[in-house]
């Protein structure tokens, strides 16, 4: 219950390395609960969900990730641009033809 974000991130990386997608998804869900302002955690949760065919659950996480990232980039434009990353990320290929993807992936 008192897991630190860095510990959850290590666990998530281990699940990703062994291909345990349910474990990875659960760990990322816990990570966003513990660190809800972390756009990368939301982005990774969306990516896992999109990759395993849970598009309906991926959309809210992706929207949250991109909104948090846009806010952070307004304060510091040198931080990673997840919108740019999204365009090249094959984990989202199943979503790219959806009009919601085009609306979310638009430049700020």
């Amino acid at each position: 219950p008192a897991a630190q974000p860095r510990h959850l991130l290590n666990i998530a990386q281990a699940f990703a390395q062994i291909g345990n997608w349910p474990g990875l998804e659960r760990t990322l869900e816990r990570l966003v609960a513990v660190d809800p302002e972390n756009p990368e955690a939301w982005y990774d949760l969306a990516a896992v969900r999109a990759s395993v065919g849970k598009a309906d659950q991926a959309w809210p996480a992706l929207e949250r990730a991109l909104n948090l990232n846009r806010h952070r980039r307004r304060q510091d434009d040198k931080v990673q641009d997840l919108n740019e990353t999204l365009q090249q990320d094959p984990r989202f290929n199943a979503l790219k033809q959806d009009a919601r993807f085009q609306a979310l992936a638009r430049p700020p």
Side-chain angles (χ1 to χ4, degrees), residues 4 14 38 40 53 57 59 62-64 76 80 82 86 88 91-93 98 100:
Q4 297 294 315
N38 182 332
E40 288 81 12
Q57 294 176 21
W59 291 115
L62 182 58
E63 182 175 15
R64 175 82 177 182
D76 181 2
Q80 178 184 10
L82 291 179
L86 177 64
Q88 307 301 321
R91 298 177 295 176
F92 291 98
N93 284 348
D98 192 299
R100 291 176 286 185

Side-chain angles (χ1 to χ4, degrees), residues 65-82:
L66 295 176
N67 286 336
L68 287 168
N69 187 246
R70 284 184 188 115
H71 176 72
R72 183 175 62 181
R73 286 187 50 80
R74 279 188 216 110
Q75 297 170 353
D76 181 2
D77 64 356
K78 291 175 180 54
V79 298
Q80 178 184 10
D81 184 358
L82 291 179

Side-chain angles (χ1 to χ4, degrees), residues 4-6 17-18 23 45 48 58-60 70 76 82-83 85 95-96 107:
Q4 297 294 315
R6 70 179 185 276
Q17 287 175 352
I18 63 171
L45 178 59
V48 168
W59 291 115
R70 284 184 188 115
D76 181 2
L82 291 179
N83 193 28
T85 304
L95 306 183
K96 288 183 179 177

